Amino acid sequence: MVKPSIIAIDGPAASGKSTLGERLAQRIGYLFFDTGILYRAVTWAALQKLGRVDQEYEVSTLSEKVNIDVRPPSVADGRSADVCIDGVDVTWEIRNSDVDANVSQVSAYPRVRQAMTLQQRRIGQRGGVVMVGRDIGTVVFPEAGLKIYLVASVEERASRRYHEMINRGVAADYNQILAALRKRDEYDSGRKLAPLKPAEDAIVLDSEGLTIEQVVERALALIEKA
Ligand code: CDP
């Protein structure tokens, strides 16, 4: 079987893209790359250095300079990768609710997108990669051999994110998570540049009510057909 060299997985917040991407990559021996990490890292750095994210020029300049390093995990605490910014391990910090609340605004800045897209193309161009995000099939790799658009209802996504946080020992409130996801989806779908939407040739995979194993099996079947 000749597998597509690049597999793009896009979809709304907490739709299970990272879990699917990671397992799929493991099963077929591909590199897994979660592009949300880059936007989260820039947002974290902006909050740290500027204390806010509404200064577009400063945030954009920061995104062009900041050194984001994504490496295989060095700690077995459930992480899929080590994320370091200018040498500091921020793997879990970039998942906090402050970053959640500000990342969509940062991701809408054109220069930030340009800088992150360049990095993603550099990582993906050698092939053998499962890349996960919002605009991989539409903008970053429109030539990807397989594009999956993963969806689930916002309630199911909120419930998954809630359990994920509880399992990590982080305090969580279901209704707050639900409201934050709705807001982020709206922002990500409504932005002018690289909005969240399925590519015309993407295959929509609805994970509602399916176990992760079932979703992985369906994706593997799509790879065989691609
Ligand atoms: O894990 P979750 O689905 O909650 O989010 P994520 O994939 O880590 O992405 C965080 C945010 O980064 C999204 O809400 C988007 O605003 C932005 N993002 C983007 O604009 N383009 C991408 N390729 C990936 C993420």
Side-chain angles (χ1 to χ4, degrees):
M1 173 180 67
V2 183
K3 296 185 291 261
S5 160
I6 296 172
I7 298 174
I9 305 178
D10 292 301
S15 54
K17 302 178 299 285
S18 303
T19 316
L20 170 63
E22 203 178 344
R23 297 210 188 179
L24 210 53
Q26 222 168 35
R27 290 280 288 267
I28 61 174
Y30 272 29
L31 173 78
F32 165 64
F33 195 80
D34 173 7
T35 62
I37 284 178
L38 300 179
Y39 293 96
R40 286 176 177 275
V42 172
T43 306
W44 184 87
L47 288 170
Q48 195 74 2
K49 294 210 164 93
L50 308 167
R52 49 200 278 196
V53 301
D54 57 354
Q55 297 162 299
E56 179 169 351
Y57 181 83
E58 284 77 3
V59 175
S60 302
T61 304
L62 178 73
S63 78
E64 288 158 2
K65 287 191 194 146
V66 72
N67 178 13
I68 308 166
D69 209 3
V70 186
R71 292 178 180 213
S74 64
V75 189
D77 61 356
R79 62 180 62 190
S80 64
D82 282 358
V83 184
C84 292
I85 298 176
D86 296 329
V88 181
D89 187 318
V90 295
T91 307
W92 293 118
E93 282 80 353
I94 62 166
R95 304 274 160 203
N96 73 26
S97 54
D98 264 359
V99 172
D100 273 350
N102 290 284
V103 65
S104 289
Q105 185 172 358
V106 171
S107 308
Y109 295 153
R111 279 172 60 206
V112 173
R113 296 211 73 80
Q114 201 178 10
M116 298 306 114
T117 299
L118 270 178
Q119 296 204 25
Q120 291 159 34
R121 290 195 178 133
R122 213 174 297 137
I123 292 161
Q125 71 194 5
R126 266 178 274 145
V129 63
V130 177
M131 199 168 276
V132 168
R134 299 288 185 290
D135 60 341
I136 310 307
T138 51
V139 174
V140 182
F141 286 112
E143 71 278 21
L146 174 64
K147 302 175 185 179
I148 296 175
Y149 192 80
L150 193 63
V151 296
S153 71
V154 70
E155 291 80 9
E156 175 144 345
R157 291 186 279 127
S159 151
R160 287 180 192 162
R161 186 53 49 100
Y162 171 81
H163 288 108
E164 196 181 291
M165 289 170 77
I166 297 291
N167 287 340
R168 244 195 303 141
V170 178
D173 177 296
Y174 173 82
N175 286 316
Q176 258 175 24
I177 295 171
L178 183 66
L181 283 186
R182 282 207 168 106
K183 205 165 152 198
R184 199 139 60 87
D185 282 353
E186 229 178 83
Y187 210 120
D188 290 346
S189 314
R191 72 180 174 221
K192 279 202 201 99
L193 200 63
L196 168 69
K197 65 167 185 202
E200 267 172 29
D201 51 352
I203 295 163
V204 177
L205 185 52
D206 188 350
S207 70
E208 190 82 17
L210 298 182
T211 64
I212 180 65
E213 258 326 300
Q214 287 171 318
V215 180
V216 172
E217 288 308 321
R218 288 190 191 191
L220 284 170
L222 293 175
I223 292 174
E224 248 173 74
K225 272 197 271 164

